[in-house]
Amino acid sequence: MFTMSSRLARWSLSRARSQHLLQAAESSLTNLPNELLIVILEFLDDKCLHLIAALSNRFFQLSTETLLLRHDIPPALDSVAIKSSAALCALRLGLVFFKGRVSLFRYVVPQPISLSKDLRRLEAVVRRLGGAGRQLCLDFYSNIIERPLGWTIGGLVPRLLHGLCSHAEVGLFIADDGLFTMKSKSVYLWNPYTRDRYTKTTFHDGTRQWAPSIRSIKSLSVTYPLFNGGSPAPQRWCMVVVNSLDLHTLLLNLKLTQLEWAFILANLTLPNLHAVGIYAECISSTASTLFLNRHPITQLTYMSPKALKPLYPTTKVLTLPRLTHLTALGHYVCHIFPSPTSFPSSSLLFPILTSIELFPDSDLDRALELLSTHAPLTQLALWAILDLSASSPIFSLVFPTLSALTLNKSPALVSSPRFPGILAVMFPALQRVEMNYCFADARGRRGNAGSSSVTNEARHEVWRGKRRCVDRLAAENAGLVVVMVDREFFAPR
């Protein structure tokens, strides 16, 4: 039977022997040149290389370089593409070699081994690789916040977004059909569990505005910086585009300054954007022109109520060869449509623009004059035509190619006895007229269905008067299809 002292002696002897063997092996490896060590390390798998990297600075450098070259991540290049979880793990280990070098980072993994581990590594990678003049592109195999969403992923995704914005003061997010801003330190508190399409969001300036919710994340594209932090830009911004390939419609309706809008539109590019709605007051037509020319726009809505003086004047003209429908105020039509004698003409700038919806403002007369010279125009919708005087310049215009006309909120014009003659002179090729009374009068709505029989009879009489206008118009214009849309009044039985 062994005594305690004999056991202790045997243990001390075996430990000393192990340490001696380890020192002998280490001394034999360290005596080898780096060229031979690299050849030896190439026979080891990734797990062993990660363990050997913890031995010393020399082995860390050799093991890391072996891992990076194995996964096609040469440290000398300024762009990095990650195509597997093992490559991401190798990059996470060798981040020290990439400081200040990478200008483009792409993560494209078809099926990660563990999404949660990849998100943790991505957070560390983007915190190191993000910064001024760099671009990060993360493409996931599916929606990483798809319902039901577990608490692990629900906590890691906000941390990843916070890491993407950690090199800037403000994060600009483009998602769904709109955009919103947040302070970078507040991105960590973003809630990935929301199901509403729009939510009240606290913006970078402290205001609370309605903004689209991020309900799907299949890809993230990040650009640094949007603002350079110097004059005249007040802060450093970064732009995060969520699912850039799925963004087909964009609404610009936030309350931002003209300078902020100018920088946003100058840096934003969406490859599949087809429809744009501009409602913000501080977007100048010049800034929007440069933005729209970069995209294949087919539908454009411009309802900014006033024409702003551009911060950076330019001679560029709006050229949208795919535009088919335009909704705008009169001043914007005057801005984008050239005069009839200038070159290029509107038919060259907008060759397939056949449908226009025009809202009135102080430049309505000039806008209609320009539209009358646009040869491809076949459909026109007008709002609130109130000037019925014979001296009004709009009634002397001729639209030779127009075949469909819609009049909204213009009851005085429709009920005028001059209306059939006006149509015959202004629109010689007209085939269809639609008169929309839905917004013409607030009386007799369905919400007042409980009113007295006298009120109902008055509503019926108003409807009969409108019907007589339609019948008279159809009788005086043979072959003309006349449609009356009236949802505000009850039709008599």
Side-chain angles (χ1 to χ4, degrees):
M1 178 175 256
F2 296 103
T3 62
M4 182 63 68
S5 58
S6 62
R7 290 182 179 179
L8 184 60
R10 288 170 59 87
W11 177 79
S12 300
L13 181 62
S14 62
R15 182 180 180 184
R17 188 177 301 168
S18 300
Q19 291 179 353
H20 175 72
L21 293 176
L22 181 62
Q23 292 175 359
E26 184 177 356
S27 61
S28 61
L29 285 176
T30 54
N31 292 333
L32 294 177
N34 290 342
E35 291 78 5
L36 291 179
L37 286 177
I38 291 176
V39 174
I40 296 173
L41 294 177
E42 288 177 353
F43 289 94
L44 303 180
D45 57 8
D46 288 4
K47 184 177 181 180
C48 294
L49 289 176
H50 281 276
L51 294 176
I52 291 179
L55 292 179
S56 63
N57 291 337
R58 181 187 179 192
F59 281 102
F60 171 80
Q61 182 175 359
L62 296 177
S63 300
T64 304
E65 290 180 355
T66 303
L67 279 171
L68 295 177
L69 293 176
R70 177 177 297 178
H71 295 286
D72 297 329
I73 313 175
L77 297 180
D78 59 351
S79 62
V80 176
I82 301 298
K83 301 180 181 180
S84 64
S85 298
L88 180 62
C89 191
L91 178 63
R92 174 67 180 88
L93 180 65
L95 280 177
V96 66
F97 298 107
F98 292 92
K99 185 175 181 181
R101 295 184 180 181
V102 177
S103 60
L104 175 61
F105 170 76
R106 296 188 64 88
Y107 169 84
V108 185
V109 179
Q111 186 67 39
I113 300 176
S114 173
L115 179 60
S116 59
K117 292 182 179 179
D118 273 18
L119 291 179
R120 289 189 179 94
R121 292 165 184 156
L122 277 175
E123 179 192 355
V125 168
V126 299
R127 288 184 185 276
R128 174 60 68 93
L129 298 184
R134 302 176 187 178
Q135 184 177 3
L136 309 180
C137 301
L138 312 180
D139 295 327
F140 303 99
Y141 69 100
S142 64
N143 179 16
I144 61 175
I145 58 173
E146 185 177 4
R147 273 63 174 174
L149 183 62
W151 66 269
T152 302
I153 303 299
L156 291 176
V157 173
R159 293 181 58 180
L160 174 62
L161 295 178
H162 181 263
L164 293 171
C165 302
S166 61
H167 298 273
E169 299 177 15
V170 177
L172 170 67
F173 291 85
I174 294 91
D176 199 3
D177 60 353
L179 51 86
F180 63 92
T181 63
M182 294 181 67
K183 288 186 176 180
S184 297
K185 60 182 180 182
S186 303
V187 178
Y188 187 83
L189 303 177
W190 172 72
N191 179 20
Y193 295 95
T194 180
R195 294 179 179 270
D196 299 329
R197 184 173 182 180
Y198 295 94
T199 57
K200 277 281 189 177
T201 304
T202 302
F203 280 54
H204 69 287
D205 54 0
T207 61
R208 289 184 59 82
Q209 305 181 41
W210 286 101
S213 303
I214 302 177
R215 299 179 297 172
S216 172
I217 299 180
K218 298 179 182 178
S219 66
L220 294 170
S221 301
V222 190
T223 304
Y224 308 90
L226 187 58
F227 284 174
N228 57 13
S231 179
Q235 295 174 321
R236 292 186 299 114
W237 286 33
C238 71
M239 182 169 56
V240 183
V241 182
V242 183
N243 305 333
S244 60
L245 297 180
D246 297 335
L247 295 179
H248 305 288
T249 303
L250 185 64
L251 302 179
L252 307 178
N253 56 358
L254 302 179
K255 296 180 180 179
L256 301 177
T257 65
Q258 186 178 1
L259 176 63
E260 292 170 345
W261 275 122
F263 274 91
I264 291 172
L265 297 180
N267 290 269
L268 180 59
T269 302
L270 303 174
N272 295 331
L273 185 63
H274 299 300
V276 177
I278 300 177
Y279 299 89
E281 297 183 358
C282 295
I283 297 181
S284 66
S285 55
T286 302
S288 62
T289 296
L290 300 176
F291 167 73
L292 295 172
N293 283 342
R294 296 196 301 269
H295 299 88
I297 303 299
T298 59
Q299 298 183 12
L300 174 60
T301 301
Y302 194 100
M303 298 300 293
S304 184
K306 55 184 178 180
L308 297 177
K309 182 179 180 181
L311 295 176
Y312 308 102
T314 180
T315 58
K316 296 289 185 179
V317 296
L318 184 64
T319 306
L320 300 177
R322 300 185 182 182
L323 184 65
T324 60
H325 179 78
L326 172 65
T327 301
L329 291 167
H331 72 84
Y332 188 68
V333 172
C334 296
H335 173 75
I336 65 174
F337 274 75
S339 61
T341 58
S342 63
F343 182 85
S345 63
S346 62
S347 301
L348 297 177
L349 299 178
F350 318 107
I352 59 174
L353 177 57
T354 59
S355 176
I356 296 179
E357 184 175 4
L358 183 62
F359 284 78
D361 62 358
S362 58
D363 297 322
L364 176 63
D365 296 347
R366 176 60 178 167
L368 286 173
E369 180 182 354
L370 294 174
L371 293 181
S372 64
T373 61
H374 184 60
L377 183 62
T378 59
Q379 301 178 20
L380 178 63
L382 300 176
W383 284 80
I385 302 299
L386 303 178
D387 187 4
L388 303 180
S389 61
S391 59
S392 178
I394 64 175
F395 296 131
S396 61
L397 302 176
V398 178
F399 295 79
T401 60
L402 195 71
S403 61
L405 176 65
T406 302
L407 296 174
N408 301 304
K409 204 175 181 180
S410 304
L413 175 62
V414 173
S415 59
S416 172
R418 299 174 51 227
F419 184 55
I422 291 174
L423 290 183
V425 174
M426 293 183 61
F427 313 102
L430 192 63
Q431 300 176 2
R432 175 189 171 91
V433 176
E434 179 178 322
M435 295 175 291
N436 196 335
Y437 290 96
C438 295
F439 312 96
D441 198 340
R443 298 172 301 172
R445 295 187 177 180
R446 294 185 184 273
N448 299 330
S451 57
S452 63
S453 59
V454 177
T455 305
N456 289 334
E457 182 61 29
R459 286 202 298 269
H460 293 163
E461 184 60 31
V462 172
W463 187 89
R464 293 189 191 98
K466 294 180 179 180
R467 189 67 220 181
R468 285 192 294 269
C469 294
V470 172
D471 295 339
R472 185 181 73 253
L473 180 62
E476 297 184 12
N477 294 269
L480 182 64
V481 178
V482 183
V483 179
M484 183 181 71
V485 182
D486 189 356
R487 302 186 185 94
E488 299 290 347
F489 295 87
F490 289 112
R493 297 181 180 178

